[in-house]
Amino acid sequence: MAFDIEMIKEVYARFPERIAAARKAVGRPLTLTEKILYAHLSEGPASQAYKRGASYVDFQPDRVAMQDATAQMALLQFMQAGRDQVAVPSTVHCDHLIQAEIGAVKDLDKAKDKNREVYDFLASVSNKYGIGFWKPGAGIIHQVVLENYAFPGGMMIGTDSHTPNAGGLGMVAIGVGGADACDVMAGLAWELKFPKLIGVKLTGKMSGWTSAKDVILKVAGILTVKGGTGAIVEYFGEGARSLSATGKGTICNMGAEIGATTSIFGYDQKSAAYFQGTGRADIATMADAIAEHLTGDDEVYEQPENYFDQVIEINLSELEPHVNGPFTPDLAWPISKFAAAVKENGWPAKLDVGLIGSCTNSSYEDISRAASLAQQAVDKKLVAKSEYTITPGSEQVRFTVERDGFLDTFGKMGGVVLANACGPCIGQWARHGADKQEKNSIITSFNRNFAKRADGNPNTHAFVASPEIVTALAIAGDLTFNPLVDTLTNSDGLAVKLDEPTGLELPTKGFAVEDAGYQAPAEDGSKVEVLVDPASDRLQLLDSFTAWEGTDIKGLKLLIKAKGKCTTDHISMAGPWLKFRGHLDNISNNMLIGAVNYFNESTNSVKNQLTGEYGEVPATQRHYKAQGIGSIVVGDENYGEGSSREHAAMEPRFLGVRAILVKSFARIHETNLKKQGMLGLTFANPADYELIQEDDSIDILGLTTFAPGKPLQIVLNHKDGSSDTISANHTYNEGQIEWFKAGAALNLIKAKA
């Protein structure tokens, strides 16, 4: 549980020299992002050859963090790597497999029983390989990392797309697939295309109803769900320094929703206060000694347009609270315009449920501000019209807010406290009545609101806002209520107005916890047995994927031409499927069942070219595989948006899909495909998407001379005997081409071991 003080000393020791060398090599002042990236290059100082958004660069991260749903596959892969111990400090956090239904205690007990074999596997494999293990109930990975492991100037990768949460404390923290985590834990360098830089200058200071959440909701509206793709977002300015450390974490966390590689704030006094408040004053002392290196150079922030690829400026003094949604996190509405939008679009104005917490907004500050509104409801004789749930971010936060009376306050308002876990945010919500698929509205302080994500109901209109706005609207039970100007009628028939929320960044009596839920690994894991039952339907040891056959790939059947948004939730759903995250064969039965088929506008219904009949996507692909026939998936823009889950890449690979051809990829998913030996290709001409026909047999040519920057040729053989030849681009470098030839990156690691 220790925060690796010696490792941090080593990182800081190399900062001055490396940053000086980088500044000299680049020949200009540096942003904070560049300083940290250059300090973590695996091979020496910066070079002018590193062009933003163009060159792949090798880095050496300081640590790895894994959540339980993705850790299963990551560690099953690591077991094949041939190492006795992980090469960098690593942790596993059990937060994804706990389903919300009744309340914290009963839900946690049920999860421990239901997921016992998975937890036993994760505990044992962590114990064997030197990995810290956070038990179920300990908290959500990103809040636990913020409280225990994040440090300014560090670099971390995590098997969850919201790993950037740690950027709130000045860390370059990036979401990756399990294969990337496996590489780093095995001691290899980690590869990333050198990112572009987006600067967000924050001026002024927030007050009243506005919170840090509103900053990222505003940014999402500006940049959209793919506007940050291939870029790191760096926040700076007087407004940035005025935000709490956990507020900054909220902003960085939800940067995943704009496709950003990660987001980051510089080290400041708010950071120092958080380290001191969480028992890590040593980090603040060390950071103070090199503070000049833990922020961008003065010249950068004085003239940001000269150093960033794009600059956005937001005045916090003028920023309104926002509500984003439904169905996408970038549909942004200032609260003053939201009621009109609800009415004009015919969204259900009646609010069924308000949910606060999740990895995005579950800090002491978040809960204390929401509790101030709950107390007002009690004092002003208001009864909450909507259901209301609270998800603390960690056991430390939960224990502290219970001690300080906030949970009791929520209870008086009718709130239900859920387990310290992801719960409804990732579809782990046994919502009663969701199966009726009735049209309804919910509002959350979560980060994502894709259709069906929270409760499986495609007609649930999910909106995203700050915990304060969520609480106020839950009290009102009405999406058209604006707490800044509107009144409510209390039980005495009187019109009352909610006062502005208040709260504390840190508890005045300090944090407290009886059992944080941490298990340290064995000092010698050589005799520890990893627990996997060969007959299990939840865990399955992996077999290696086969190597490329050395020829062009011909005769591929079109499995599906996906229409519109196709996120990782569409490719590999969460919710009830989470139980199979450690069993590749079983979870492959959810492959692409949420994708919309271009040819019939249906989900999970594609034409089997061998029988002429329509069937489920996984069953159709299994039929092709049984006949020794490969296939191809065609997709639209930003394919693979959302989670870091590599199952969305491993399932098609396992079932015999050879290539994914799309208009554009989300970053993490494209990398995951490459790691698994798949071909991730993009239309050179996006209009060629329209040429794909339902009965096409497809050839991929040029693989025998596969090279960086050299397009491949795709031949579309149509049913009527005609054909079209189109060009497909790719971003594979020499090393990634070797992954493809070997059948997977892991195959190369095993060969070296």
Side-chain angles (χ1 to χ4, degrees):
M1 188 173 170
F3 49 82
D4 310 304
I5 194 72
E6 294 303 320
M7 178 266 285
I8 298 173
K9 287 180 180 178
E10 291 178 11
V11 173
Y12 286 176
R14 67 174 181 256
F15 255 61
E17 181 180 350
R18 285 212 168 189
I19 290 173
R23 192 180 286 115
K24 181 178 180 181
V26 176
R28 57 170 172 76
L30 300 176
T31 65
L32 169 63
T33 302
E34 290 170 320
K35 289 181 180 181
I36 299 175
L37 292 179
Y38 291 142
H40 285 83
L41 291 174
S42 63
E43 295 182 6
S47 164
Q48 291 174 308
Y50 295 140
K51 298 177 181 178
R52 292 180 189 170
S55 303
Y56 280 91
V57 184
D58 285 343
F59 296 98
Q60 197 61 59
D62 305 311
R63 66 176 308 113
V64 173
M66 297 167 280
Q67 42 97 328
D68 51 353
T70 50
Q72 295 169 65
M73 196 58 68
L75 292 172
L76 285 166
Q77 292 177 86
F78 180 77
M79 288 172 64
Q80 295 183 298
R83 283 192 64 100
D84 296 329
Q85 293 270 295
V86 291
V88 300
S90 304
T91 50
V92 168
H93 304 258
C94 295
D95 62 358
H96 271 55
L97 301 179
I98 302 168
Q99 188 175 51
E101 182 177 12
I102 300 169
V105 176
K106 291 184 178 179
D107 291 347
L108 181 57
D109 287 342
K110 184 177 180 180
K112 288 179 178 178
D113 181 60
K114 182 179 180 181
N115 303 309
R116 189 172 305 280
E117 67 172 313
V118 173
Y119 294 146
D120 287 347
F121 162 69
L122 291 173
S124 63
V125 72
S126 297
N127 202 25
K128 183 175 183 66
Y129 293 109
I131 299 168
F133 179 70
W134 289 83
K135 303 172 187 177
I140 307 173
I141 176 172
H142 311 304
Q143 182 65 28
V144 173
V145 165
L146 204 70
E147 293 173 6
N148 294 276
Y149 301 116
F151 69 96
M155 174 181 273
M156 176 177 71
I157 61 169
T159 61
D160 189 282
S161 56
H162 294 102
T163 298
N165 192 78
L169 283 176
M171 192 173 208
V172 167
I174 301 175
V176 299
D180 278 342
C182 178
D183 287 0
V184 174
M185 290 189 293
L188 302 183
W190 174 66
E191 184 182 68
L192 176 73
K193 183 181 285 187
F194 205 86
K196 296 181 180 179
L197 301 180
I198 297 175
V200 179
K201 182 178 182 180
L202 301 180
T203 61
K205 188 175 183 179
M206 293 185 307
S207 62
W209 285 88
T210 307
S211 75
K213 182 64 163 261
D214 299 307
V215 175
I216 186 57
L217 294 178
K218 173 76 171 179
V219 171
I222 295 170
L223 289 176
T224 78
V225 291
K226 63 178 184 177
T229 301
I232 290 180
V233 182
E234 183 172 324
Y235 292 84
F236 62 93
E238 60 174 337
R241 293 189 294 274
S242 72
L243 299 173
S244 69
T246 51
K248 293 170 185 171
T250 292
I251 294 169
C252 293
N253 177 301
M254 206 175 154
E257 271 48 74
I258 58 173
T261 301
T262 192
S263 303
I264 193 168
F265 284 80
Y267 174 75
D268 57 27
Q269 290 308 302
K270 296 285 189 177
S271 311
Y274 189 75
F275 286 123
Q276 292 159 359
T278 52
R280 295 175 290 169
D282 287 354
I283 293 182
T285 300
M286 290 191 296
D288 286 340
I290 62 163
E292 65 179 295
H293 301 307
L294 300 177
T295 185
D297 289 336
D298 291 341
E299 299 93 329
V300 169
Y301 296 152
E302 288 167 1
Q303 294 184 304
E305 63 279 358
N306 293 338
Y307 302 97
F308 291 97
D309 298 285
Q310 181 179 354
V311 178
I312 296 168
E313 185 168 340
I314 297 173
N315 185 341
L316 299 184
S317 301
E318 299 174 354
L319 180 65
E320 275 190 71
H322 275 59
V323 179
N324 286 25
F327 306 129
T328 184
D330 60 349
L331 188 59
W333 305 98
I335 192 71
S336 60
K337 297 181 180 179
F338 182 57
V342 171
K343 295 171 184 176
E344 290 170 7
N345 290 283
W347 300 327
K350 177 180 177 291
L351 180 62
D352 282 16
V353 192
L355 307 97
I356 69 165
S358 88
C359 67
T360 321
N361 281 103
S362 54
S363 67
Y364 185 90
E365 180 182 25
D366 291 323
I367 292 178
S368 68
R369 282 175 63 85
S372 75
L373 293 168
Q375 186 63 55
Q376 286 187 55
V378 174
D379 295 342
K380 298 185 180 187
K381 299 182 180 181
L382 292 168
V383 177
K385 300 288 182 61
S386 305
E387 293 181 35
Y388 183 71
T389 69
I390 306 96
T391 303
S394 69
E395 176 58 15
Q396 177 168 269
V397 167
R398 188 212 63 80
F399 189 95
T400 305
V401 297
E402 181 179 45
R403 179 202 67 190
D404 292 348
F406 298 145
L407 298 189
D408 183 57
T409 300
F410 289 130
K412 291 177 181 177
M413 195 189 86
V416 175
V417 179
L418 301 177
N420 313 322
C422 300
C425 185
I426 59 163
Q428 282 285 49
W429 186 17
R431 186 183 180 191
H432 303 293
D435 56 330
K436 298 178 182 178
Q437 299 201 349
E438 294 176 340
K439 191 175 180 181
N440 74 101
S441 289
I442 66 173
I443 189 165
T444 79
S445 68
F446 304 163
N447 39 47
R448 290 191 175 142
N449 59 342
F450 303 142
K452 300 191 286 187
R453 180 175 174 88
D455 62 3
N457 179 2
N459 298 313
T460 293
H461 293 58
F463 298 88
V464 179
S466 68
E468 299 92 323
I469 294 296
V470 170
T471 304
L473 267 60
I475 293 170
D478 184 355
L479 284 180
T480 65
F481 173 68
N482 180 351
L484 281 69
V485 296
D486 295 340
T487 60
L488 295 170
T489 302
N490 70 6
S491 58
D492 291 337
L494 300 175
V496 297
K497 189 173 184 292
L498 293 172
D499 300 322
E500 295 175 349
T502 59
L504 297 168
E505 294 180 12
L506 294 165
T508 55
K509 293 187 287 185
F511 283 105
V513 67
E514 288 183 349
D515 179 6
Y518 178 73
Q519 171 189 296
E523 290 188 15
D524 179 6
S526 61
K527 294 182 173 57
V528 175
E529 178 185 1
V530 177
L531 304 178
V532 177
D533 182 350
S536 172
D537 68 349
R538 297 197 61 179
L539 294 166
Q540 179 187 49
L541 296 177
L542 296 175
D543 293 323
S544 300
F545 290 134
T546 56
W548 171 55
E549 57 267 62
T551 64
D552 289 336
I553 303 175
K554 298 182 178 181
L556 300 178
K557 300 299 183 184
L558 174 68
L559 177 61
I560 186 172
K561 180 179 177 179
K563 181 179 180 180
K565 186 182 284 284
C566 193
T567 72
T568 48
D569 279 355
H570 295 87
I571 304 167
S572 176
M573 288 184 177
W577 291 95
L578 284 171
K579 65 183 179 181
F580 296 128
R581 283 287 179 87
H583 198 293
L584 184 54
D585 194 4
N586 284 345
I587 199 170
S588 293
N589 288 322
N590 79 359
M591 184 189 73
L592 286 159
I593 64 176
V596 176
N597 184 354
Y598 178 94
F599 298 105
N600 61 10
E601 300 284 341
S602 298
T603 58
N604 203 22
S605 175
V606 295
K607 187 175 184 180
N608 184 326
Q609 293 190 38
L610 301 182
T611 66
E613 299 176 350
Y614 285 84
E616 296 179 344
V617 182
T620 302
Q621 181 54 39
R622 286 184 186 274
H623 188 206
Y624 291 154
K625 182 179 181 180
Q627 302 301 315
I629 298 172
S631 67
I632 186 170
V633 169
V634 173
D636 214 316
E637 297 280 5
N638 208 29
Y639 183 89
E641 167 195 345
S643 168
S644 69
R645 69 192 70 151
E646 65 188 318
H647 301 76
M650 294 186 77
E651 292 172 32
R653 179 74 170 97
F654 176 72
L655 292 183
V657 177
R658 300 299 301 272
I660 311 291
L661 174 63
V662 300
K663 293 180 182 177
S664 64
F665 282 108
R667 175 191 63 84
I668 299 176
H669 186 65
E670 183 181 22
T671 299
N672 286 346
L673 291 170
K674 293 177 179 180
K675 288 279 184 178
Q676 302 304 333
M678 293 277 284
L679 286 171
L681 309 174
T682 56
F683 291 99
N685 179 5
D688 288 342
Y689 170 88
E690 301 299 335
L691 296 176
I692 308 294
Q693 298 179 20
E694 190 171 31
D695 292 289
D696 280 352
S697 178
I698 298 172
D699 304 331
I700 302 177
L701 309 181
L703 292 175
T704 55
T705 56
F706 195 9
K710 183 179 180 181
L712 297 173
Q713 299 302 303
I714 308 292
V715 181
L716 310 175
N717 300 297
H718 306 307
K719 188 176 182 180
D720 63 4
S722 65
S723 67
D724 287 294
T725 299
I726 63 176
S727 183
N729 295 331
H730 65 84
T731 61
Y732 288 74
N733 59 27
E734 293 286 1
Q736 294 167 346
I737 290 172
E738 292 305 309
W739 298 346
F740 167 73
K741 292 179 178 179
L746 183 58
N747 291 351
L748 291 179
I749 296 175
K750 289 164 63 176
K752 292 176 182 178

